[in-house]
Amino acid sequence: MEKKTKILNDPVYGFVGIPYGILFDLVEHPYFQRLRNIKQVSLTHYVYPGALHTRFHHAIGALHLMQQAVDSLRAKGVAISEQEAEAVMIAILLHDIGHGPFSHTLEHTLIGVNHETLSLLFMQRLNDEFQGKLSLAIEVFTGRYPKPFLHQLVSGQLDMDRLDYLNRDSYFTGVAEGVIGYDRIIKMLNVVEGRLVVEQKGIYSVERFLTSRRIMYWQVYLHKTVVAAEQMLRLTLQRARKLSEMGQPPWAPPALEYFLIHRVGSEDFLSSRNQLLDCFAALDDTDISAAVKTWQHHPDALLSYLSYGLVNRRLFRLEFSNDPFDPAYVDELREAIRTDTRLPRDAAAHLVIQGQETNSAYTLTKEEIMVWTKYGEVVPMSTISDFAIAPRSYTKFFLCYPKEIAV
C-alpha cells in the first residue's frame, strides 16, 4: 500500500507528517528549501548558542500544529472540507517563505519590501507553476475567503505561527519561560459564526501563552546584546551599499551584490516579479556571512571595523531606557568616538545608533481573541474580569555604540 505521508523527526514535537501531494511538492521546491539557510531568530545565537534553528524548522512545525487544529475543529463538528484543509495548510506552510537573510534583521535594509508582501508574491508565483492549486490558499492567506477562522488560524493573535515559534524558540534557546501548553490551546479552539473562539475553560492556557510571549520578547528577541548585534549587521550592510553607490562596491556573492547595487522596492517586484523573486530566492544567510567575513579586510575602515566586530563577537554596548535619551549625552558619546584613535576616523555620525523597540503581548489594535463563555456568549478576552494581561504596548528607547569608549 502506498504511503500517504512523509514522516520527519522534529526535536520539539517528535514525529510529524507531511502529506504527499501538493504539500510535499511545495516542501521540496527550491523556494522552500532555501529556508534551511535562514535562521529563525537571526543573531540570537550570540547570546543563546543553541538558537541555530531555521525558518524551515518553523514552517514544518507550524504545519504540524495546523494539522492538529484542523483535526480538533472537525471533531467538534466544524465543517472543513478537504480542499479547505489543504488550503489552510498550504497557507501556514508558506506564511514565512518571503523572509530574507537573518529574518527580520535585514527586512528594510536590503530591500524596501516586507516579508508578508514577498510571501504573497512567492505564493502567486508558485500558483502559476502549480497551475492554480494554490488559489484557495492565497484567499485564506489574504483573508478574502468567506470562512474567517481559517485566516485567523494562519494570522491572528492566537495563530499556529505564534504557537510554534514560541515553543520552538524556547526549546532552542533553553529559555523555559517560553514553554506554552500549545496542545491544550489547540484543543480549546472552536468556531462560532465563522470566527475562531477559545472555550472559556482554556483562558488560563491563553494567559500563559500571552505571558510567555511578553517574556520571550524582552528576554530573547529584544535582548540588548541581540539588538546590538542586529544593529551592527544593519549598519554593515548600509555601509556596503553606500560604498556601492560611491562606485566602490565591495566584493559580495552575486545574489547579495545585486541588492547592494540596486535599490529594489514594491513597484519593482510588481513589474519584474519573476526575475526579482529568483534573485531574492538565491539570497540567504550564507551570502551575508561570507561577505561579512571577507569585509573584515576591506580597505574601508568603517566596513572592516564593523565586520570584524560581527565575526569575532566584539559587539556594541546597548542601553535601554524608558524615556528618550538626553541629546547632550548622545553628543558626548559622539565626541568620545571622534577623539578615540582606536575607532575609524569620521565615523562618529554612524557609530551611535538610536532607536526604539516595542513589545505588546496582547493588543486591541488587532482583532481580539474571542472567548466562548459557558453561557454561550462570545466576548473579547479583554473584557473577562479575571484576565490578567494588560492589553498595551511597552516601548523602550535604545542607544547603541562601541564598547571602546568610556564617558
Side-chain angles (χ1 to χ4, degrees):
M1 190 173 107
E2 187 178 355
K3 290 193 297 183
K4 295 182 179 180
T5 306
K6 176 73 173 180
I7 302 297
L8 301 179
N9 195 348
D10 181 81
V12 178
Y13 306 122
F15 291 111
V16 302
I18 303 170
Y20 281 114
I22 182 69
L23 283 159
F24 182 76
D25 292 342
L26 287 169
V27 170
E28 290 284 275
H29 195 281
Y31 285 167
F32 190 84
Q33 289 292 315
R34 70 182 274 276
L35 298 180
R36 291 180 183 273
N37 293 316
I38 295 178
K39 292 183 186 67
Q40 169 75 6
V41 284
S42 186
L43 296 168
T44 303
H45 62 282
Y46 276 144
V47 178
Y48 300 100
L52 294 167
H53 55 302
T54 67
R55 289 278 158 186
F56 183 91
H57 295 141
H58 166 55
I60 297 296
L63 170 63
H64 172 68
L65 296 188
M66 186 64 80
Q67 289 172 310
Q68 290 192 350
V70 168
D71 290 344
S72 178
L73 291 173
R74 279 175 163 171
K76 295 179 179 182
V78 178
I80 304 174
S81 70
E82 286 300 317
Q83 292 78 12
E84 290 167 342
E86 184 177 83
V88 77
M89 289 177 194
I90 291 172
I92 197 66
L93 181 72
L94 302 182
H95 76 283
D96 273 348
I97 200 169
H99 266 295
F102 294 98
S103 296
H104 294 280
T105 306
L106 300 178
E107 194 161 299
H108 299 292
T109 304
L110 283 178
I111 58 170
V113 187
N114 62 43
H115 75 274
E116 292 93 348
T117 299
L118 287 171
S119 291
L120 180 57
L121 289 170
F122 271 117
M123 290 174 73
Q124 291 167 343
R125 172 79 187 274
L126 288 165
N127 197 35
D128 293 342
E129 189 174 326
F130 285 90
Q131 301 176 325
K133 291 182 180 178
L134 279 70
S135 296
L136 196 58
I138 291 171
E139 285 190 51
V140 170
F141 182 76
T142 55
R144 295 198 304 265
Y145 192 67
K147 289 186 175 181
F149 75 90
L150 292 174
H151 175 73
Q152 290 174 299
L153 287 168
V154 177
S155 180
Q157 293 204 69
L158 197 58
D159 57 34
M160 299 307 108
D161 172 29
R162 294 184 183 192
L163 290 184
D164 180 78
Y165 79 63
L166 282 176
N167 218 36
R168 187 168 302 277
D169 297 349
S170 174
Y171 178 91
F172 282 97
T173 58
V175 177
E177 287 83 355
V179 175
I180 57 172
Y182 69 91
D183 46 355
R184 176 164 171 78
I185 290 174
I186 288 173
K187 289 288 191 293
M188 292 298 104
L189 295 178
N190 213 320
V191 173
V192 175
E193 295 181 356
R195 307 198 80 82
L196 199 65
V197 297
V198 179
E199 295 169 7
Q200 186 170 356
K201 57 189 175 182
I203 62 171
Y204 296 116
S205 296
V206 174
E207 279 195 13
R208 169 68 190 271
F209 156 75
L210 294 172
T211 301
S212 296
R213 187 166 184 265
R214 183 177 64 82
I215 293 171
M216 285 290 285
Y217 265 83
W218 290 126
Q219 194 166 333
V220 177
Y221 310 130
L222 300 180
H223 187 288
K224 63 181 183 178
T225 306
V226 174
V227 174
E230 291 176 346
Q231 291 298 322
M232 286 181 70
L233 183 55
R234 286 193 178 106
L235 193 56
T236 303
L237 268 292
Q238 288 166 2
R239 183 59 181 173
R241 170 166 274 168
K242 182 66 175 177
L243 292 172
S244 298
E245 291 173 347
M246 292 165 57
Q248 307 164 29
W251 174 87
L256 174 58
E257 182 183 39
Y258 182 89
F259 289 100
L260 290 178
I261 295 173
H262 301 91
R263 285 195 175 271
V264 179
S266 299
E267 291 184 3
D268 301 298
F269 271 96
L270 293 175
S271 61
S272 305
R273 186 194 72 180
N274 291 1
Q275 175 196 348
L276 286 175
L277 285 179
D278 285 342
C279 288
F280 184 75
L283 187 64
D284 59 38
D285 289 9
T286 59
D287 298 290
I288 307 293
S289 297
V292 171
K293 186 177 179 182
T294 303
W295 293 342
Q296 293 179 93
H297 312 292
H298 194 276
D300 181 76
L302 180 55
L303 184 64
S304 62
Y305 169 75
L306 291 166
S307 299
Y308 180 86
L310 281 168
V311 171
N312 297 285
R313 203 185 180 279
R314 304 293 187 266
L315 303 177
F316 283 12
R317 174 176 285 114
L318 188 132
E319 298 179 29
F320 271 128
S321 170
N322 293 325
D323 303 300
F325 286 89
D326 184 349
Y329 177 54
V330 178
D331 290 341
E332 191 179 351
L333 289 173
R334 289 201 175 105
E335 180 61 20
I337 291 172
R338 191 183 66 79
T339 57
D340 194 317
T341 56
R342 295 168 298 175
L343 298 173
R345 292 181 60 190
D346 305 320
H350 303 286
L351 295 181
V352 177
I353 308 166
Q354 296 185 77
Q356 61 188 61
E357 296 287 1
T358 300
N359 171 18
S360 54
Y362 188 66
T363 177
L364 303 183
T365 59
K366 194 168 184 175
E367 188 172 11
E368 277 209 62
I369 296 171
M370 304 302 287
V371 178
W372 191 17
T373 72
K374 56 189 176 183
Y375 304 109
E377 300 173 309
V378 176
V379 298
M381 189 140 183
S382 61
T383 65
I384 301 290
S385 60
D386 55 353
F387 179 49
I389 306 298
R392 56 165 289 196
S393 295
Y394 298 85
T395 297
K396 289 186 180 181
F397 299 86
F398 69 78
L399 197 58
C400 191
Y401 55 88
K403 282 183 179 176
E404 289 93 329
I405 64 172
V407 293

PDB file of all heavy atoms in Angstrom, residues 2 35 45 113-114 153 169 192 233 399:
ATOM      1  N   GLU A   2       0.534   2.221  -0.830  1.00  0.00           N
ATOM      2  CA  GLU A   2       1.338   3.430  -0.958  1.00  0.00           C
ATOM      3  C   GLU A   2       1.187   4.312   0.289  1.00  0.00           C
ATOM      4  O   GLU A   2       0.099   4.531   0.804  1.00  0.00           O
ATOM      5  CB  GLU A   2       0.883   4.212  -2.199  1.00  0.00           C
ATOM      6  CG  GLU A   2       1.782   5.390  -2.509  1.00  0.00           C
ATOM      7  CD  GLU A   2       1.340   6.111  -3.771  1.00  0.00           C
ATOM      8  OE1 GLU A   2       0.406   5.626  -4.445  1.00  0.00           O
ATOM      9  OE2 GLU A   2       1.929   7.160  -4.061  1.00  0.00           O
ATOM     10  N   LEU A  35      14.800  28.027   2.888  1.00  0.00           N
ATOM     11  CA  LEU A  35      14.551  28.384   4.281  1.00  0.00           C
ATOM     12  C   LEU A  35      15.451  27.606   5.239  1.00  0.00           C
ATOM     13  O   LEU A  35      15.589  27.974   6.405  1.00  0.00           O
ATOM     14  CB  LEU A  35      13.080  28.151   4.640  1.00  0.00           C
ATOM     15  CG  LEU A  35      12.052  28.977   3.857  1.00  0.00           C
ATOM     16  CD1 LEU A  35      10.640  28.645   4.315  1.00  0.00           C
ATOM     17  CD2 LEU A  35      12.320  30.471   3.983  1.00  0.00           C
ATOM     18  N   HIS A  45      21.821  33.636  18.450  1.00  0.00           N
ATOM     19  CA  HIS A  45      22.806  32.645  18.893  1.00  0.00           C
ATOM     20  C   HIS A  45      24.042  33.300  19.503  1.00  0.00           C
ATOM     21  O   HIS A  45      24.849  32.622  20.147  1.00  0.00           O
ATOM     22  CB  HIS A  45      23.212  31.724  17.729  1.00  0.00           C
ATOM     23  CG  HIS A  45      23.864  32.434  16.580  1.00  0.00           C
ATOM     24  ND1 HIS A  45      23.137  33.154  15.659  1.00  0.00           N
ATOM     25  CD2 HIS A  45      25.154  32.533  16.199  1.00  0.00           C
ATOM     26  CE1 HIS A  45      23.959  33.657  14.759  1.00  0.00           C
ATOM     27  NE2 HIS A  45      25.184  33.308  15.066  1.00  0.00           N
ATOM     28  N   VAL A 113      10.765  46.042   1.003  1.00  0.00           N
ATOM     29  CA  VAL A 113       9.521  45.270   0.922  1.00  0.00           C
ATOM     30  C   VAL A 113       9.464  44.350   2.136  1.00  0.00           C
ATOM     31  O   VAL A 113      10.454  43.674   2.452  1.00  0.00           O
ATOM     32  CB  VAL A 113       9.460  44.423  -0.373  1.00  0.00           C
ATOM     33  CG1 VAL A 113       8.100  43.776  -0.527  1.00  0.00           C
ATOM     34  CG2 VAL A 113       9.792  45.259  -1.604  1.00  0.00           C
ATOM     35  N   ASN A 114       8.310  44.300   2.822  1.00  0.00           N
ATOM     36  CA  ASN A 114       8.237  43.430   3.994  1.00  0.00           C
ATOM     37  C   ASN A 114       8.031  41.973   3.594  1.00  0.00           C
ATOM     38  O   ASN A 114       7.655  41.667   2.461  1.00  0.00           O
ATOM     39  CB  ASN A 114       7.149  43.887   4.975  1.00  0.00           C
ATOM     40  CG  ASN A 114       5.754  43.846   4.380  1.00  0.00           C
ATOM     41  OD1 ASN A 114       5.377  42.897   3.696  1.00  0.00           O
ATOM     42  ND2 ASN A 114       4.958  44.866   4.638  1.00  0.00           N
ATOM     43  N   LEU A 153      -6.433  31.207  11.879  1.00  0.00           N
ATOM     44  CA  LEU A 153      -5.510  30.133  12.246  1.00  0.00           C
ATOM     45  C   LEU A 153      -4.113  30.386  11.685  1.00  0.00           C
ATOM     46  O   LEU A 153      -3.111  29.912  12.241  1.00  0.00           O
ATOM     47  CB  LEU A 153      -6.027  28.788  11.728  1.00  0.00           C
ATOM     48  CG  LEU A 153      -7.238  28.193  12.459  1.00  0.00           C
ATOM     49  CD1 LEU A 153      -7.815  27.026  11.666  1.00  0.00           C
ATOM     50  CD2 LEU A 153      -6.865  27.748  13.875  1.00  0.00           C
ATOM     51  N   ASP A 169      11.321  28.398  19.738  1.00  0.00           N
ATOM     52  CA  ASP A 169      12.394  29.304  20.157  1.00  0.00           C
ATOM     53  C   ASP A 169      12.764  29.065  21.620  1.00  0.00           C
ATOM     54  O   ASP A 169      13.932  29.168  22.003  1.00  0.00           O
ATOM     55  CB  ASP A 169      11.979  30.762  19.946  1.00  0.00           C
ATOM     56  CG  ASP A 169      11.739  31.100  18.481  1.00  0.00           C
ATOM     57  OD1 ASP A 169      12.099  30.277  17.613  1.00  0.00           O
ATOM     58  OD2 ASP A 169      11.183  32.179  18.198  1.00  0.00           O
ATOM     59  N   VAL A 192     -17.418  29.865  16.137  1.00  0.00           N
ATOM     60  CA  VAL A 192     -18.784  30.346  16.319  1.00  0.00           C
ATOM     61  C   VAL A 192     -19.053  31.409  15.251  1.00  0.00           C
ATOM     62  O   VAL A 192     -18.305  32.374  15.137  1.00  0.00           O
ATOM     63  CB  VAL A 192     -18.997  30.950  17.728  1.00  0.00           C
ATOM     64  CG1 VAL A 192     -20.397  31.550  17.844  1.00  0.00           C
ATOM     65  CG2 VAL A 192     -18.785  29.886  18.801  1.00  0.00           C
ATOM     66  N   LEU A 233      24.818  44.628  12.210  1.00  0.00           N
ATOM     67  CA  LEU A 233      24.667  43.992  10.901  1.00  0.00           C
ATOM     68  C   LEU A 233      23.966  44.930   9.919  1.00  0.00           C
ATOM     69  O   LEU A 233      24.355  45.043   8.752  1.00  0.00           O
ATOM     70  CB  LEU A 233      23.901  42.675  11.036  1.00  0.00           C
ATOM     71  CG  LEU A 233      23.718  41.859   9.749  1.00  0.00           C
ATOM     72  CD1 LEU A 233      25.066  41.573   9.086  1.00  0.00           C
ATOM     73  CD2 LEU A 233      22.984  40.552  10.035  1.00  0.00           C
ATOM     74  N   LEU A 399      20.114  53.060  22.861  1.00  0.00           N
ATOM     75  CA  LEU A 399      21.285  53.770  22.379  1.00  0.00           C
ATOM     76  C   LEU A 399      22.384  52.734  22.244  1.00  0.00           C
ATOM     77  O   LEU A 399      22.670  51.991  23.182  1.00  0.00           O
ATOM     78  CB  LEU A 399      21.678  54.855  23.384  1.00  0.00           C
ATOM     79  CG  LEU A 399      22.615  55.967  22.940  1.00  0.00           C
ATOM     80  CD1 LEU A 399      22.040  56.732  21.749  1.00  0.00           C
ATOM     81  CD2 LEU A 399      22.852  56.933  24.106  1.00  0.00           C
TER      82      LEU A 399
END
